Amino acid sequence: MSLRLTDITLTYPDGDGRLTALDRVTLDVPRASLTAVVGPSGSGKSSLLAVAATLVTPDSGTVTIDGTTTTGMTRGQLTDLRRHKIGIVFQQPNLLPSLTAAEQLQVMAHIDGRSPRKARDRAERLLDAVGLGGHAHRRPHQLSGGQRQRVNIARALMNDPTVLLVDEPTSALDHESGAAVVDLLTRLTRRGGTSTVVVTHDRTHLGTADRVVEVHDGRITGQHGAQVVPVGRID
């Protein structure tokens, strides 16, 4: 497994008490597979994504990324882990308006210290993989919403992560563009061998997912897909 959450509990301060966002959640995501996490607003799916991304430390339980358990890691070590092992596709692309599509990706490689030539070559390959090979020199205002989301996905893959975490990829897209983006994520997952988790409230484009996990009140309440397992644990 490239991604494993084991018995995760996460709470937040709530007045004089604590609000439980995740309640003993266990989730295993194999390589080259896409798991969709669905549930109503406030169900805990975004908290699950934040814990998996190591952006939030749970009260208890363990997060394992590509065989490395994050318990006890320093902030710097977690940052390094995210840089090399985790790709995050945020709900809003947040592309830099002055940079071309290719430059959006090359910035990520520059931060990681890669050579400009290698960065340029990888950026071109990734843009081609997401169907934007002819748009490398366009800036965000010259791209459609679906195209900007594709740049967002390619940017998350720039450092060749083993885990890909995607937050509401279709929320700002029309039906056709949303379906195309989910199909793209599935194909890239298969090709790149990532463990991919897509958090979404939109259930209309999940036919290509390997597994759909239902989350309510911070708990996994059910799942369906290729493999049927007991509710509460996804192996």
Side-chain angles (χ1 to χ4, degrees), residues 30 36 51 54 81 121 134 142 173 183 194 197:
V51 169
T54 73
L81 180 72
D121 290 346
Q142 298 172 307
L173 303 179
D183 180 65
T194 58
V197 177

Side-chain angles (χ1 to χ4, degrees), residues 91-93 145-146 148-149 168-175 177-178 201:
Q91 183 172 350
Q92 298 298 325
R148 288 193 293 271
Q149 189 63 290
E168 298 284 3
T170 65
S171 62
L173 303 179
D174 58 40
H175 181 83
S177 298
H201 69 280

